[in-house]
C-alpha cells in the first residue's frame, strides 16, 4: 500500500464522521451514533468507499486507548472506591446472566445438548461472546451527556472494566475445557494468578509513577508539553504490559494509567491534550471503524433470524442482570435501568472473543456477522436510551 | 502483529524522543536534533529496541503532512508572493549545482563515462538523489527558532517546495532516458503537464474551499471542532490527490492546503489544534523514524569513504548553489548562508528517489546507507548551524 492511500481513507473518514456527527446532533442523538453510521455508510455495506486496513485498525486501537485513558483521568478516585463493591456485584451479574441466556438461545435454535459434548460447548461459547461490555462507547456516551463523573457513571465504568476481566476469565475457562487447547484447571489457575499479579503490578507501578509525575509537576507555574507526553507514554506502556505479560485487555491498562494520574495537579491539562488528539483523528477512526467492519453479504434467513434473536437476547440479558442487582442494592428503577443500559454495549472484546472461538473450533465464521450487528446496534441504541433515561431522571428530581 | 505491539513502540519512541529533546534543549541545540538521535539510539544501530514497521512509517508520513500543513497555515501569503521569483531562482540553483556535483563525485570514485552509457546515467543518478531538499526538518528548525514567518523563512520554504517539484521532474527525465522504463520525451512532457495541471487544480480547489471555510467561519463567536477537522480532511485530500493524480509529492499538497486556509479567521486556531496532535504523537514518530531507519551493518571502507564524500558534497553543493544565487540577488553574506544552509536538509524524498533508482536498475542497494547517513547528518547539522547564523544576524543588526 502506498503511504498516500492512508490520506484518502482518513480524509473520507474524518469528513463523513464529522458531517454525520453534526447531523446526529441536529436530530438530538449523540454524535458518536452519527460517527458509527458514517462508517457503515462509507464501508463495504453501502458505498464501499473504504475498506478496513491494518493501519486503520491500529489507529482505531489507539483511539479506544485514548478514550479509556481520558476516562481514567476524569475518574474521581474517592467515588470509585465508594462504588467498588457495588460495581463488582453489577459486573458479576452482567457476565453470568448473558452467559446463561446466550447458551439457552443457541440451544433453542439448534437443540439441547448434553453437558460435556462439543455441541454444548459451542452453545456456551455463544454465551461467552455476550459477556464483555464495551467500555469505550459507554464512556463516550456518558461523557457527551456530562455524566461520566457522576456516581452512576463511575459505577458503570468500573463495572464494565471488572466485567471485561471476569469475561476474559470465563473465556479462558471455556476454551480451556471445551476447546482444542489443552490445559483445564492449570490454565484457569494461571489466568487467575496472572490477573491478580497484574493488579499488584499496576498498584506498584502506579505508586511509583504517581510520585514521579508529582515531582515533574512540582513548582511549575506554566503547563509544559512533557507532562502530557510522558503521561501518554505511561498509558501506552501499561496498555502493552497488560496484554503482553498478564493477558488482561489493553484498554484496562490504559484506564488504570488514567487513574494513576487522575489526582496529579495537571490531570485536567493532560486530559485536554488527549482529547484534542482523540477528536481530531483517532476517535472518528475508532467509531467509524465499527461501522466499517460490517458486511451484510452472505446472510441467510436462518442466520438473519438468529442474528435478530442474538441481538435482542444480548441487550435484554445485560439489562436484566445489571438492573436487577442494582434494584436489589437499593437503587430506584430509573437508576437501575441506566446501569443496565450503560452495560449493554458490546465492542471489540466481543470480536476478539469470537476470533478466539474460531481459532479453537468452537465457533463457525458465520457467527461473526451477528456479533458485528450486535456491536453496531448496541453502540447506536445505548447513547440514545441513556439520554432518554437521564432526562427522565432529571425530570423526576425536579 | 498484535495491536498491542504498537503501544510498546509508541511508548518507547515518545519517552526517548522527549527525553533526548529535553537534553538537546539543555545543550542549546534544537529539540528535533534530540528526537532524531533518540531514533538512532533506540533503533537497530544501537540498542535495537524498535524496528521500523509499516505502521510506524505511515504514522511518520502523517507527521510530516501535519508539519507541512502547519507551515502552510503560518504562511504570510503577501510575503510569499513577494519572495516568489527569488525562491524560484534559489530552487533552480539548489537543484542543478548538487546534480552536477553528485555526478562528478561518482565519476571521481568510479571513473569518467561517456554520455549515454549506463555508467554515465548511474553517475547522474547519484546527482539526482541530491536534488530534493527536505522541507519538514527545515520547517521544524525554523519554527523552533521563531523564524518560520520571517522573510528568509518564507523564501526558504517556498524554494524547498519548488525544488522538490523540479527534483521530481529531473528524476522522471533521468529515469525516462537512462532507466529500463520506456518513455523519453513523451514521458517528460507528461510530467510537466501534470505538474502544471496540479497547480491549476490547487488554485481552483483552493478558491472553492477558501469560500466554504469562510462561510463555516462566519458569524461564530466561539471556536468549533468542525473547522480544524474539516481543515485536516482538506489537507489529507490534497496530499492524496497530489501524489495519486498528478505525481506531485504529498507534502506539497498538504502545504498548499495550509496556504488555502492561512487567511481565514480561524487559521491560528486550526494550527494550534494541529500542533497538539503533531507534538503529542506524530512529530516524534517522524523525527525518531529518521534515526530508526539507519542500519550501519555491512559497511566497507570504500563505501565509508564514499559516504563521507557523498555527505560533504551534498551539503556543500546546496550551500554553494543557493547561497551564490542569494548573494547575486543582493542578500548579504549571513542571509545568503542562512538560505543555503536552510536548503541543505535531505529527507524522505531522497529515499524515495533512491528507491526509484533501485527499481529501474540505476542504483545499487548499497547506496541506501550513504543516503540515510546524509539524511541524519543534514537533519542534525541544519538546525544547529541555522541557530548560529540567526544569532550572528541578530548581533549584526544591533
Amino acid at each position: 500500500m502506498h503511504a498516500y492511500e492512508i490520506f484518502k481513507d482518513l480524509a473520507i473518514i474524518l469528513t463523513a464522521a464529522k458531517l454525520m456527527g453534526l447531523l446526529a446532533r441536529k436530530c438530538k442523538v449523540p454524535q458518536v451514533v452519527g460517527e458509527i453510521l458514517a462508517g457503515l455508510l462509507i464501508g463495504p455495506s453501502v458505498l464501499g468507499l473504504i475498506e478496513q486496513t491494518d493501519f486503520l485498525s491500529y489507529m482505531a486501537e489507539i483511539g479506544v486507548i485514548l478514550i479509556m485513558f481520558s476516562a481514567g483521568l476524569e475518574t474521581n478516585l474517592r467515588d470509585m472506591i465508594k462504588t467498588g463493591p457495588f460495581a463488582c456485584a453489577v459486573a458479576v451479574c452482567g457476565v453470568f446472566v448473558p452467559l446463561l441466556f446466550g447458551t439457552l438461545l443457541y440451544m433453542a435454535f439448534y437443540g439441547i445438548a448434553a453437558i460435556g459434548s462439543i455441541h454444548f460447548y459451542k452453545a456456551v461459547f455463544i454465551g461467552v461472546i455476550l459477556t464483555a461490555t464495551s467500555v469505550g462507547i459507554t464512556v463516550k456516551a456518558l461523557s457527551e451527556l456530562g455524566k461520566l463523573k457522576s456516581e452512576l457513571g463511575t459505577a458503570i465504568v468500573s463495572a464494565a472494566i471488572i466485567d471485561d476481566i471476569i469475561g476474559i476469565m470465563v473465556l479462558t475457562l471455556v476454551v480451556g475445557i471445551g476447546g482444542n487447547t489443552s490445559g483445564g484447571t492449570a490454565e484457569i489457575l494461571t489466568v487467575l494468578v496472572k490477573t491478580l499479579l497484574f493488579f499488584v503490578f499496576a498498584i506498584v507501578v502506579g505508586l511509583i509513577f504517581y510520585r514521579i509525575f508529582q515531582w515533574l509537576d512540582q513548582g511549575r507555574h506554566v503547563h509544559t508539553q512533557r507532562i502530557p507526553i510522558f503521561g501518554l507514554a505511561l498509558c501506552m506502556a501499561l496498555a502493552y504490559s497488560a496484554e503482553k505479560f498478564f493477558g488482561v485487555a489493553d484498554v484496562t491498562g490504559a484506564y488504570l494509567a488514567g487513574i494513576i494520574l487522575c489526582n496529579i495537579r495537571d490531570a485536567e491539562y493532560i486530559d485536554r491534550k488527549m482529547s484534542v488528539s482523540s477528536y481530531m483523528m483517532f476517535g472518528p477512526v475508532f467509531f467509524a471503524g465499527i461501522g466499517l467492519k460490517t458486511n451484510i453479504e452472505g446472510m441467510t434467513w436462518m442466520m438473519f433470524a438468529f442474528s435478530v434473536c442474538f441481538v435482542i437476547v444480548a441487550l435484554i440479558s445485560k439489562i436484566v442482570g445489571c438492573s436487577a442487582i442494582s434494584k436489589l442494592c437499593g437503587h430506584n428503577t430509573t437508576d437501575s435501568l441506566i446501569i443496565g443500559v450503560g452495560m449493554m454495549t458490546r465492542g471489540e472484546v466481543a470480536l476478539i472473543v469470537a476470533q478466539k472461538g474460531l481459532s479453537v473450533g468452537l465457533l463457525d465464521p458465520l457467527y461473526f456477522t451477528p456479533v458485528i450487528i450486535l456491536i453496531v446496534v448496541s453502540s447506536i441504541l445505548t447513547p440514545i436510551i441513556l439520554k432518554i433515561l437521564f432526562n427522565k431522571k432529571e425530570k423526576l428530581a425536579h
Side-chain angles (χ1 to χ4, degrees), chain A:
Chain A
M1 190 173 73
H2 280 291
Y4 59 76
E5 297 287 344
I6 60 173
F7 300 133
K8 187 192 74 174
D9 291 358
L10 289 176
I12 294 175
I13 290 174
L14 291 179
T15 310
K18 193 68 208 171
L19 284 177
M20 292 291 286
L22 290 173
L23 190 69
R25 211 170 57 178
K26 272 248 185 294
C27 307
K28 311 263 178 227
V29 169
Q31 289 210 38
V32 48
V33 176
E35 297 186 352
I36 296 170
L37 287 176
L40 207 64
L41 193 71
I42 59 180
S45 298
V46 187
L47 296 176
L49 295 176
I50 293 196
E51 269 177 50
Q52 185 71 21
T53 62
D54 274 358
F55 176 73
L56 287 179
S57 31
Y58 292 145
M59 292 286 281
E61 200 67 23
I62 297 179
V64 66
I65 286 293
L66 289 181
I67 292 168
M68 293 310 297
F69 185 44
S70 275
L73 282 168
E74 292 169 23
T75 303
N76 184 322
L77 210 54
R78 204 168 299 156
D79 280 1
M80 192 175 186
I81 293 166
K82 217 173 74 189
T83 60
F86 171 60
C88 280
V90 171
V92 169
C93 292
V95 165
F96 289 100
V97 177
L99 180 62
L100 180 68
F101 277 43
T103 310
L104 293 177
L105 171 74
Y106 188 89
M107 290 190 177
F109 264 76
Y110 304 104
I112 295 166
I115 293 179
S117 70
I118 179 77
H119 186 62
F120 173 77
Y121 285 113
K122 281 191 175 180
V124 172
F125 203 84
I126 294 291
V128 175
I129 294 176
L130 298 185
T131 56
T133 295
S134 155
V135 219
I137 295 151
T138 304
V139 164
K140 180 76 183 194
L142 287 169
S143 101
E144 271 194 45
L145 295 168
K147 300 294 181 191
L148 188 57
K149 289 183 179 186
S150 68
E151 213 186 301
L152 280 183
T154 308
I156 293 174
V157 177
S158 313
I161 293 277
I162 302 167
D163 161 303
D164 263 13
I165 295 163
I166 305 178
I168 295 291
M169 286 187 188
V170 172
L171 171 69
T172 318
L173 193 107
V174 173
V175 167
I177 306 174
N180 300 329
T181 54
S182 61
T185 332
E187 191 164 328
I188 298 158
L189 210 69
T190 314
V191 174
L192 286 171
V193 170
K194 270 181 151 183
T195 309
L196 199 73
L197 278 179
F198 174 68
F199 282 94
V200 174
F201 167 79
I203 289 169
V204 174
V205 166
L207 287 174
I208 296 170
F209 277 91
Y210 178 64
R211 292 271 170 239
I212 294 177
F213 275 83
Q214 253 188 341
W215 171 78
L216 275 174
D217 217 3
Q218 211 174 48
R220 289 186 195 286
H221 301 289
V222 287
H223 293 303
T224 51
Q225 289 182 4
R226 70 192 73 169
I227 297 211
I229 293 178
F230 289 138
L232 181 58
L234 176 68
C235 158
M236 301 266 179
L238 273 186
Y240 171 73
S241 311
E243 283 242 13
K244 176 81 180 177
F245 305 119
F246 302 97
V248 172
D250 50 6
V251 286
T252 308
Y255 182 68
L256 284 176
I259 288 182
I260 290 170
L261 301 180
C262 76
N263 274 337
I264 71 166
R265 222 174 30 147
D266 257 351
E268 201 249 320
Y269 176 70
I270 303 179
D271 190 28
R272 221 158 55 220
K273 295 294 158 196
M274 289 306 137
S275 77
V276 174
S277 294
S278 185
Y279 78 71
M280 287 299 299
M281 192 155 351
F282 297 106
V285 173
F286 169 60
F287 292 111
I290 296 172
L292 218 52
K293 283 200 196 95
T294 317
N295 196 346
I296 23 183
E297 265 175 41
M299 185 64 116
T300 62
W301 281 106
M302 179 70 172
M303 245 354 248
F304 181 74
F306 180 83
S307 300
V308 171
C309 296
F310 179 76
V311 170
I312 292 172
V313 164
L315 303 185
I316 299 289
S317 62
K318 273 277 178 187
I319 298 180
V320 167
C322 301
S323 299
I325 187 83
S326 306
K327 189 84 188 176
L328 274 177
C329 293
H331 281 279
N332 65 35
T333 311
T334 315
D335 285 7
S336 302
L337 277 176
I338 287 177
I339 291 172
V341 172
M343 294 288 291
M344 82 182 186
T345 47
R346 306 302 205 287
E348 336 70 62
V349 180
L351 274 177
I352 294 166
V353 171
Q355 185 63 48
K356 185 82 191 164
L358 186 70
S359 72
V360 298
L362 285 177
L363 191 81
D364 202 271
L366 267 178
Y367 292 92
F368 267 75
T369 312
V371 174
I372 290 168
I373 296 175
L374 169 60
I375 295 174
V376 174
V377 172
S378 68
S379 308
I380 292 174
L381 284 184
T382 304
I384 299 174
I385 304 180
L386 272 184
K387 192 173 172 182
I388 297 170
L389 288 171
F390 272 113
N391 282 345
K392 193 176 159 198
K393 179 178 158 75
E394 259 154 44
K395 260 188 210 144
L396 285 176
H398 287 300

